[in-house]
């Protein structure tokens, strides 16, 4: 596992996702920084309607994520995302995420709704690093999985996507959002202008009559007084 990110999923339009924890001592290289940037884009594009489990292929690497409900919350969801080499067994990757979510929810599950600052649970990195080391040796994992065969997940039904499709869909969504905002602004501007024109029309239409009525009332006032 090259990189791991845990975040609260945006549950409504306009709401931003909230990063909660991440692995901290990953090796520093330009490729990893590029994938971290892609992970953040995936984070911004993930929503409550996203697949609960998914693999996103990104060249020689793959992103794997699971989305779960935060316990005792009002609809909050948490995404556990990791980056692994493409040849790394998917079963191990999702078992790794499963171990992370069980521990994280037990420790912090009840606090998710109240989180207001990014990476509030950054100390969870200690558990991430310990678990990552456990899953780095695939031979050890084979023995572990053999012992735990009754609990193995079925990964056949997990959706697989391509990173370009995911990021491209996000760019299209951003474009549509921008166009929608522009259209709303133009609609409001047109409505305001139409209201102003209608008011001016009424004024020009009724002003002469109002002047006549006012003159008549003034004359009647002087006549009767």
């Amino acid at each position: 596992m090259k990189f791991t990110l845990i975040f609260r999923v945006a549950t409504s339009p306009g709401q931003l996702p909230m990063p909660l924890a991440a692995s901290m001592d990953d090796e520093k290289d330009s490729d990893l920084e590029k994938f971290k940037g892609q992970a953040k884009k995936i984070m911004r594009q993930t929503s409550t309607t996203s697949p609960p489990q998914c693999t996103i292929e990104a060249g020689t690497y793959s992103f794997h994520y699971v989305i779960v409900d935060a316990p005792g919350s009002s609809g909050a969801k948490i995404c556990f995302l990791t980056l692994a080499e493409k040849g790394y067994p998917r079963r191990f990757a999702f078992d790794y995420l499963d171990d992370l979510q069980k521990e994280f929810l037990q420790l912090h599950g009840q606090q998710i709704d109240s989180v207001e600052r990014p990476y509030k649970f950054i100390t969870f990195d200690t558990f991430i690093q310990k678990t990552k080391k456990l899953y780095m040796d695939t031979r050890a994992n084979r023995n572990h999985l053999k012992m735990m065969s009754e609990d193995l997940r079925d990964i056949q039904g997990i959706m697989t996507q391509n990173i370009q499709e995911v990021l491209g869909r996000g760019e299209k969504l951003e474009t549509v959002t921008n166009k929608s905002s522009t259209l709303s602004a133009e609609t409001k501007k047109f409505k305001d202008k139409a209201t102003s024109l209608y008011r001016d029309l009424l004024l020009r239409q009724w002003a002469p009559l109002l002047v006549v009525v006012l003159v008549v009332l003034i004359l009647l006032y002087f006549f009767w007084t």
Side-chain angles (χ1 to χ4, degrees):
M1 258 58 69
K2 296 289 185 180
F3 173 68
T4 301
L5 176 65
I6 303 172
F7 61 91
R8 185 178 65 200
V9 178
T11 56
S12 61
Q15 184 185 44
L16 294 176
M18 176 65 71
L20 303 170
S23 51
M24 297 301 295
D25 65 344
D26 307 289
E27 60 240 50
K28 302 297 182 181
D29 61 64
S30 57
D31 285 341
L32 186 58
E33 291 304 312
K34 178 187 72 174
F35 288 118
K36 285 184 177 181
Q38 291 179 345
K40 291 178 181 178
K41 290 182 179 180
I42 293 172
M43 177 178 69
R44 290 193 293 268
Q45 294 167 24
T46 304
S47 69
T48 53
T49 59
S50 298
Q53 298 177 323
C54 187
T55 293
I56 302 173
E57 296 178 345
T60 56
Y61 290 89
S62 293
F63 290 99
H64 308 281
Y65 76 72
V66 296
I67 299 175
V68 299
D69 294 325
S73 69
S74 55
K77 292 182 178 292
I78 310 171
C79 181
F80 298 80
L81 180 146
T82 192
L83 175 72
E85 293 181 353
K86 192 171 184 179
Y88 189 81
R90 284 211 300 169
R91 188 184 301 278
F92 294 166
F94 281 98
D95 281 345
Y96 165 76
L97 294 174
D98 188 57
D99 285 349
L100 291 188
Q101 68 152 302
K102 287 178 180 177
E103 182 71 10
F104 187 84
L105 294 181
Q106 181 178 351
L107 292 175
H108 309 299
Q110 300 293 336
Q111 307 172 54
I112 301 304
D113 279 332
S114 61
V115 175
E116 296 182 352
R117 61 181 175 86
Y119 301 105
K120 179 176 181 178
F121 310 116
I122 198 62
T123 54
F124 188 72
D125 175 59
T126 303
F127 183 82
I128 293 177
Q129 299 304 328
K130 182 176 68 174
T131 308
K132 185 167 69 172
K133 288 179 181 178
L134 180 66
Y135 279 84
M136 289 304 290
D137 185 352
T138 56
R139 287 177 297 178
N141 275 306
R142 289 192 187 99
N143 295 331
H144 172 70
L145 291 174
K146 186 176 180 180
M147 294 172 58
M148 305 293 292
S149 58
E150 294 182 359
D151 296 328
L152 293 181
R153 67 178 71 245
D154 178 13
I155 65 169
Q156 299 301 317
I158 296 176
M159 180 179 292
T160 300
Q161 298 179 331
N162 181 273
I163 189 66
Q164 298 303 325
E165 294 175 356
V166 174
L167 299 185
R169 184 167 62 246
E171 290 170 0
K172 291 177 183 177
L173 178 60
E174 184 177 355
T175 300
V176 170
T177 302
N178 291 338
K179 288 183 177 179
S180 177
S181 299
T182 302
L183 181 59
S184 297
E186 292 296 331
T187 301
K188 184 177 184 303
K189 187 186 297 183
F190 175 79
K191 183 178 179 181
D192 292 341
K193 187 174 182 179
T195 302
S196 177
L197 289 173
Y198 181 68
R199 189 164 49 244
D200 291 343
L201 178 62
L202 287 178
L203 186 60
R204 286 196 297 267
Q205 181 178 355
W206 294 102
L209 180 60
L210 290 175
V211 170
V212 172
V213 170
L214 183 59
V215 170
V216 170
L217 289 176
I218 293 173
L219 291 175
L220 288 175
Y221 173 79
F222 284 109
F223 179 77
W224 288 105
T225 58

